């Protein structure tokens, strides 16, 4: 009988650790921040994320299509949680960063983790996120673990010294082009 | 290796250089420098220090030739060097990267290419003092004959981030004049418009 409270506790705890469905409609407080979006279709929110103010959405799994929201990463903090602070420290956000430093920060984060062995920032253009001036950039990269060529498109801005960044990443082959329209639609609904 | 005509001491030198780079990385991160001779229980390879030591001992017995053909090696690597350095600068390893640049400069002097890379490295770390040093390295690179427009881009962004807007404008305008259809031209224009 003593098992029962444990089972109840487990059952109650499960939704908190499981992936969850993102239904169409307004969704505020993405990545525990001011970011809000209104997805048209359904997405899956992964419970496994890289950091405190990071939220990951996917359709078919994060290796195939992945949107990462970085919500208000402040000065001195890293984009992702540091797995090995001693041997692979990640670069920190600085309040004085220019918009053009955002792609470099993403690339340095990926390379410093040791997983990404090839990466290039392909284009950088001015954009707006909500009402803020932002940078929209595209990139391509390869991880040593699966050696799949991936492409990415992202938008980022600095608000009061904190970084807001949304990235879309998918394999260049088939998936990136298939789902880019869904990402862009989501991006158009993004509010900050 | 001795039969090939290469100096056999080079095998040990590779490991010594690697250890020196690891030291620079550790110092750059404010960590203790430590090399051990014995492998740990779970290690799959001998340590760098033990390799450097036994290879040096072996080289003492059979010295081999005297010409490591370093010039040919450098010439073969030269086309790839800018890409390798750019990737190294994005590794978030300031101490190690600066060590590599210094080691390259030891053998060939501070060329415009190396000074430019050093400017990029300092700009990437981005402390106010680094940005000031970066502008100096960029200008030294220009004085050393480095002519790529990306130099003006780096210089302009370093100055802009350091609050020296007027000088930054001049450098970024020079970049845009030289590369009007660069993939980031509109972004740089937008920064200038601020």
């Amino acid at each position: 009988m003593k098992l029962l409270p444990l089972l109840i506790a487990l059952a109650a705890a499960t939704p908190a650790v499981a992936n969850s469905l993102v239904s169409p409609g307004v969704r505020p407080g993405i990545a525990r921040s001011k970011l809000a979006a209104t997805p048209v279709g359904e997405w899956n929110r992964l419970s496994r994320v890289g950091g405190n103010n990071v939220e990951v959405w996917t359709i078919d799994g994060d290796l195939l299509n992945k949107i990462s929201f970085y919500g208000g990463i402040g000065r001195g903090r890293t984009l992702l949680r540091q797995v090995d602070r001693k041997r692979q420290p990640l670069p920190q956000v600085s309040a004085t960063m220019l918009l053009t430093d955002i792609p470099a920060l993403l690339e340095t984060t990926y390379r410093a983790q040791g997983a990404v062995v090839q990466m290039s920032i392909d284009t950088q253009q001015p954009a707006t996120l909500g009402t803020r001036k932002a940078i929209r950039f595209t990139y391509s990269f390869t991880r040593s673990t699966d050696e799949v060529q991936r492409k990415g498109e992202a938008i980022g801005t600095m608000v009061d010294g904190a970084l807001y960044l949304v990235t879309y990443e998918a394999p260049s082959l088939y998936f990136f082009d298939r789902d880019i329209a869904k990402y862009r639609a989501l991006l158009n609904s993004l509010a900050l | 290796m001795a039969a090939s005509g290469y100096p056999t001491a080079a095998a040990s030198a590779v490991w010594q250089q690697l250890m020196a780079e690891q030291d620079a990385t550790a110092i750059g991160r404010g960590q203790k420098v430590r090399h051990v001779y014995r492998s740990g229980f779970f290690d799959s390879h001998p340590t760098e220090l033990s390799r450097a030591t036994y290879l040096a001992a072996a080289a003492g017995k059979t010295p081999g030739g005297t010409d490591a053909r370093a010039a040919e090696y450098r010439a073969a690597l030269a086309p790839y060097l800018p890409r390798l350095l750019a990737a190294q600068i994005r590794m978030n390893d300031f101490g190690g990267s600066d060590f590599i640049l210094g080691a390259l400069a030891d053998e060939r002097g501070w060329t415009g290419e190396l000074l430019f890379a050093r400017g990029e490295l300092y700009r990437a770390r981005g402390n106010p003092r680094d940005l000031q040093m970066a502008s100096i390295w960029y200008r030294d690179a220009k004085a050393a004959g480095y002519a790529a427009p990306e130099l003006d881009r780096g210089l302009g962004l370093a100055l802009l981030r350091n609050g020296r807007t007027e000088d930054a404008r001049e450098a970024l305008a020079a970049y845009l004049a030289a590369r009007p259809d660069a993939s980031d031209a509109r972004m740089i224009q937008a920064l200038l418009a601020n």
Side-chain angles (χ1 to χ4, degrees):
Chain A
M1 287 304 284
K2 278 182 184 167
L3 267 178
L4 193 63
L6 187 67
L7 286 175
I8 292 171
L10 272 178
T14 309
V17 295
N19 301 335
S20 60
L21 183 71
V22 178
S23 311
V26 182
R27 193 169 179 96
I30 297 173
R32 298 183 196 167
S33 72
K34 294 180 288 183
L35 277 174
T38 315
V40 180
E42 288 184 339
W43 291 81
N44 301 290
R45 185 171 75 88
L46 298 190
S47 60
R48 184 175 58 77
V49 293
N52 271 338
N53 288 91
V54 186
E55 193 164 317
V56 177
W57 292 10
T58 177
I59 300 171
D60 306 296
D62 63 347
L63 293 176
L64 299 180
N65 35 45
K66 174 184 187 182
I67 293 185
S68 306
F69 300 89
Y70 301 88
I73 312 283
R75 182 176 59 187
R77 291 179 53 208
T78 56
L79 272 187
L80 300 170
R81 189 180 296 126
Q82 306 209 67
V83 177
D84 189 345
R85 195 183 295 260
K86 192 175 166 202
R87 271 175 293 186
Q88 294 174 339
L90 300 183
Q92 297 169 349
V93 171
S94 154
T96 61
M97 274 170 52
L98 303 171
L99 289 178
T100 46
D101 291 323
I102 295 175
L105 181 80
L106 186 72
E107 181 180 346
T108 309
T109 299
Y110 281 6
R111 282 189 189 271
Q113 279 183 319
V116 168
V117 287
Q118 177 276 320
M119 178 156 175
S120 62
I121 308 293
D122 301 325
T123 63
Q124 305 183 49
Q125 291 183 339
T128 52
L129 183 57
T131 55
R132 315 267 180 178
K133 283 183 178 167
I135 182 170
R136 185 176 193 146
F137 58 99
T138 58
Y139 53 98
S140 43
F141 64 101
T142 310
R143 281 183 223 282
S144 56
T145 45
D146 59 9
E147 296 186 353
V148 173
Q149 284 264 353
R150 287 193 167 78
K151 286 204 290 186
E153 189 175 306
I155 189 163
T157 189
M158 300 292 294
V159 181
D160 302 327
L163 171 67
Y164 288 81
L165 176 67
V166 181
T167 66
Y168 163 69
E169 292 167 358
S172 329
L173 198 67
Y174 183 63
F175 284 96
F176 186 87
D177 292 333
R178 192 194 73 175
D179 299 320
I180 184 79
K182 291 172 195 159
Y183 160 72
R184 289 193 180 142
L186 189 72
L187 200 61
N188 286 334
S189 77
L190 210 62
L192 178 63
Chain B
M1 194 171 167
S4 72
Y6 287 108
T8 51
S12 173
V14 166
W15 292 104
Q16 285 166 15
Q17 182 80 1
L18 179 66
M19 284 192 290
E21 187 189 324
Q22 289 168 345
D23 292 352
T25 297
I27 291 167
R29 289 173 178 165
Q31 296 165 352
K32 272 190 193 155
V33 172
R34 181 168 169 266
H35 289 288
V36 292
Y37 189 79
R38 287 169 62 91
S39 302
F41 186 75
F42 291 106
D43 289 350
S44 55
H45 290 67
T47 66
E48 287 86 336
L49 181 60
S50 84
R51 285 178 158 172
T53 312
Y54 70 63
L55 286 170
K61 289 175 200 157
T62 45
T66 51
D67 183 13
R69 300 183 65 199
E72 287 90 333
Y73 173 74
R74 273 172 222 152
L77 206 59
Y80 307 101
L81 193 62
R83 269 178 65 196
L84 294 173
L85 289 177
Q88 175 64 35
I89 287 163
R90 295 262 186 272
M91 291 293 288
N92 198 33
D93 175 8
F94 185 87
S97 304
D98 208 32
F99 172 84
I100 290 172
L101 292 176
L104 290 170
D106 278 347
E107 62 188 33
R108 68 190 73 177
W110 282 102
T111 61
E113 188 180 31
L114 291 178
L115 286 164
F116 169 72
R118 203 170 195 194
E120 293 283 271
L121 176 67
Y122 277 68
R123 180 168 73 85
R125 191 165 71 169
N127 297 325
R129 176 78 187 154
D130 293 331
L131 295 169
Q132 200 178 343
M133 291 307 292
S135 339
I136 293 173
W137 304 133
Y138 285 127
R139 285 179 172 140
D140 286 355
K142 193 172 250 180
Y146 192 78
E150 282 68 28
L151 188 151
D152 284 316
R153 178 184 187 275
L155 176 63
L157 292 174
L159 291 166
L160 189 63
R161 191 166 166 185
N162 223 6
R164 296 184 44 200
T165 317
E166 284 313 307
D167 294 345
R169 253 174 229 287
E170 195 184 316
L172 292 176
Y175 168 64
L176 289 175
R179 289 271 159 87
D181 44 6
S183 66
D184 61 352
R186 283 183 54 215
M187 188 64 229
I188 299 288
Q189 273 164 1
L191 281 181
L192 282 177
N194 281 350

